[in-house]
Every structure is written in structure tokens, then in C-alpha cells.
Amino acid sequence: MSLTRFQTYSLEDFSALHDAAYHHATSSTKTTFKQGLKRIERLYKKQLPELKLKFLEDPAQFLKDMEASNYSHNTNLSTLTQVVKLLKILDAPLYTYNTFLKILKEQTDSRQSLRNTEILHNLTELPSLATLQNKILSTNIEDINSFEELRYLLLVSLYTLTMPIKVRNYVDMKWYDRGGKEDGNYIIKNTFHIKNYKVGSRTTTRNIHIINEFLQSIIKVWKEMNTSDYFLANQSGRPMLQKEVNRNLLSAGVFYFGQGIGTETYRHLYIRNELEKDPNLRDKIELSNTMGYGNLNMVDTLNEPL
């Protein structure tokens, strides 16, 4: 279909088309689309009716214009994504649509390749998981008297002595005997019960058993000191927010290992450690699903030599 009749459309006009085409989309998705078009106006210092969709005529030049701007690579990817969506809404000529789609895929693959390189490089600068575990296991729990220090020990142990799940699974988790409900996340008898455990784009219910006896001991002492209904809480009894858990985990890493380690890096160390056992394909798929990934991409990346 010719795009001529859309050349005088304004930002609001295109936003209305998008919202009608994706009426079930979240407000965040709708806002992201509109912001992408606003960036195009800022890029060319013209309103969309003035541009007359000329930026769609030469996809390669459009990419060069974005790369020459002050926008980050991730922001440019977001803008490209919105342009592809716009072309789909407008039923643009197939050649134009496919050309932009190809550029988007190439740029996305490039970003992922760079990220994979960064992931592997970061692991070369860290101790092995076994080294971190030994450091934790050498700690005498009886020497810990402060709430904060015990919480530090708990956090690093959750990410080294058992499968390191994503932080969101711990947020609002309760002790089962202190108000934990079947339709929520709770801990009971050394088992984490997670109602909506995300695996790729789907969710499932998962029980994670705490096998490590030292971690079991830490949790027992922690439960005595933390009188809150929530498994991860502040001294006031308020549940920790996700950003608080992330921040405290970094601080705990500095306290115990001399360097802050983020949640994803702990997860990468765990996967790397499991891959050293030379699992078969079925085991790799199970490992990927257990860690919440929808495919083997991350497992394959972490299986590369450092």
C-alpha cells in the first residue's frame, strides 16, 4: 500500500492508529511507541507532517542518521522497533518493511554479541563459584550479632549455596507459618514455593528445595532474628523492595568477597559451574528452564571458553 495518504499525519494521528491496532497493549507499550516517533522528530528537528515520512525512503540512511545522533545504541534499537511497528500498522510495501526488519535484526544480533562478550569478560575477573562458596562456608554464624550482617550472609548464601533465582521471586515472599498463602510465594520446611516462576514468556509453579545444610542453618538463625512476616525484610519489618535486595547483595559481596557482584553475574557463575559437569542436551535444556530462560542462548554463551 502507498504511504502517501499518511504523509501529513501528526504524532497524535499515528499514536491513535497504534492504540487502535494494539488496543490490548499496556499504557507503557503505547507510550514507548509515541516516544519512538518523538525521537524521530527530534532527530530531524521537524514535526512528522513536515517530514512526510521521508525517513522511510532510505532505511540505510535512517540508520546512519540515528548512529550519528547522541542516542545510545539501545535507544536506537527501540526507535527502530517502533518504526517497524509503524510500517506494519500502515501496511507499508513489503520491500520497505522487510528492509527495516533486516536492519533491526542485524542491530539486535550485534548488541547481543557485544553483551555476550562482556558477560564472558566479566567472568574472567571473578573468583570461581567454588571459591565464593568456600569463603561463605568458613563463616562462623555464632560470631554474627547484627541484623544487617546476618542479612548480608543470607543474601550471598542464597546466590552461592543454592540455585540463584531472580530477585523478583523473593520480593513479598513470606514465612508460611507467618501468613504465607497458597496463591503467593512462601518458604516452608527448607523449600521455596514460587507461584509464578517465569520461564521465558510463560509462568509456572516451582518448588526449590534448600539442600545445603549451612544455608539451612543461616535461614534458621535469620528467622529467629527477623520477626517480620516477610522472608526478606528490613529491621522495621517492611519487606525489601527489589532494588533494595539488589543494592544489599552488592554490598554483601563487598563485605564478604571484597567486590560487589550483581544477581545476574551470580546466575552466570552458577550456570558456568553446572556446565563444567558436561551435561547432555536434555540436561542443558532443564538447566536453562530452571534458571528461567526461554531458550538455550544464555547457556550456550556461558559454555564458550573464557
Side-chain angles (χ1 to χ4, degrees):
M1 178 185 291
S2 172
L3 300 179
T4 304
R5 72 187 185 93
F6 300 110
Q7 289 181 346
T8 58
Y9 271 40
S10 68
L11 175 65
E12 296 302 328
D13 293 330
F14 285 123
S15 294
L17 279 179
H18 171 272
D19 294 354
Y22 297 91
H23 57 280
H24 291 305
T26 64
S27 59
S28 176
T29 298
K30 295 175 181 178
T31 298
T32 298
F33 177 78
K34 193 171 184 177
Q35 288 175 337
L37 297 188
K38 281 184 178 179
R39 278 194 293 273
I40 294 173
E41 290 186 330
R42 288 195 289 268
L43 178 65
Y44 294 107
K45 297 181 173 59
K46 291 181 180 180
Q47 300 296 305
L48 287 173
E50 298 177 79
L51 289 172
K52 299 184 184 301
L53 296 181
K54 289 189 179 298
F55 59 91
L56 298 178
E57 295 176 0
D58 189 341
Q61 184 60 50
F62 178 66
L63 177 61
K64 289 180 182 178
D65 292 340
M66 286 200 302
E67 290 177 339
S69 71
N70 293 323
Y71 292 119
S72 69
H73 185 60
N74 285 345
T75 300
N76 287 339
L77 275 180
S78 176
T79 304
L80 265 174
T81 301
Q82 306 317 313
V83 169
V84 169
K85 185 183 283 190
L86 173 65
L87 290 168
K88 186 175 183 179
I89 294 170
L90 302 184
D91 193 19
L94 193 58
Y95 174 79
T96 302
Y97 176 79
N98 285 341
T99 303
F100 270 99
L101 190 61
K102 181 182 178 182
I103 290 176
L104 176 60
K105 184 179 185 305
E106 290 172 346
Q107 293 297 307
T108 302
D109 289 347
S110 173
R111 179 182 67 173
Q112 189 58 51
S113 177
L114 178 61
R115 171 165 165 70
N116 291 347
T117 300
E118 291 174 347
I119 287 172
L120 293 175
H121 175 70
N122 288 340
L123 293 182
T124 64
E125 300 182 339
L126 289 173
S128 67
L129 180 61
T131 299
L132 300 181
Q133 290 172 335
N134 289 335
K135 176 68 175 178
I136 294 301
L137 293 173
S138 67
T139 304
N140 188 347
I141 304 177
E142 295 180 357
D143 291 339
I144 299 177
N145 297 311
S146 77
F147 184 94
E148 182 178 53
E149 189 176 340
L150 182 59
R151 188 171 62 182
Y152 277 177
L153 179 60
L154 172 68
L155 288 174
V156 291
S157 298
L158 289 174
Y159 282 86
T160 56
L161 302 182
T162 189
M163 185 182 77
I165 60 179
K166 293 185 177 181
V167 171
R168 64 169 170 262
N169 294 304
Y170 287 125
V171 176
D172 291 331
M173 177 180 284
K174 290 188 173 183
W175 304 101
Y176 186 75
D177 57 355
R178 296 182 187 172
K181 297 180 180 179
E182 296 293 337
D183 60 350
N185 295 348
Y186 57 83
I187 176 173
I188 180 174
K189 295 181 179 179
N190 291 317
T191 298
F192 294 122
H193 175 85
I194 302 172
K195 181 66 176 178
N196 295 309
Y197 191 88
K198 195 169 183 180
V199 179
S201 59
R202 63 184 177 87
T203 57
T204 184
T205 298
R206 185 176 289 271
N207 289 321
I208 299 174
H209 303 292
I210 306 165
I211 306 300
N212 186 276
E213 293 183 358
F214 188 70
L215 178 54
Q216 290 178 2
S217 300
I218 294 171
I219 292 175
K220 181 179 179 180
V221 176
W222 170 245
K223 188 176 183 180
E224 294 171 356
M225 185 175 288
N226 167 30
T227 58
S228 166
D229 294 345
Y230 295 94
F231 176 61
L232 293 183
N234 295 304
Q235 282 185 281
S236 63
R238 180 176 57 83
M240 295 179 71
L241 302 175
Q242 184 166 329
K243 62 181 180 181
E244 289 180 291
V245 177
N246 286 325
R247 185 173 63 247
N248 276 269
L249 184 60
L250 286 172
S251 298
V254 173
F255 185 85
Y256 280 99
F257 311 130
Q259 60 188 120
I261 303 175
T263 56
E264 282 305 301
T265 303
Y266 279 116
R267 287 163 55 78
H268 296 159
L269 284 170
Y270 176 84
I271 294 173
R272 185 86 181 177
N273 187 70
E274 292 299 302
L275 289 172
E276 289 178 357
K277 303 173 184 177
D278 194 24
N280 58 33
L281 179 59
R282 179 176 294 180
D283 291 335
K284 288 180 180 178
I285 293 174
E286 175 59 26
L287 173 61
S288 182
N289 287 337
T290 300
M291 295 302 291
Y293 297 112
N295 53 52
L296 284 173
N297 291 348
M298 182 56 69
V299 170
D300 288 341
T301 294
L302 293 168
N303 206 25
E304 294 291 327
L306 297 180

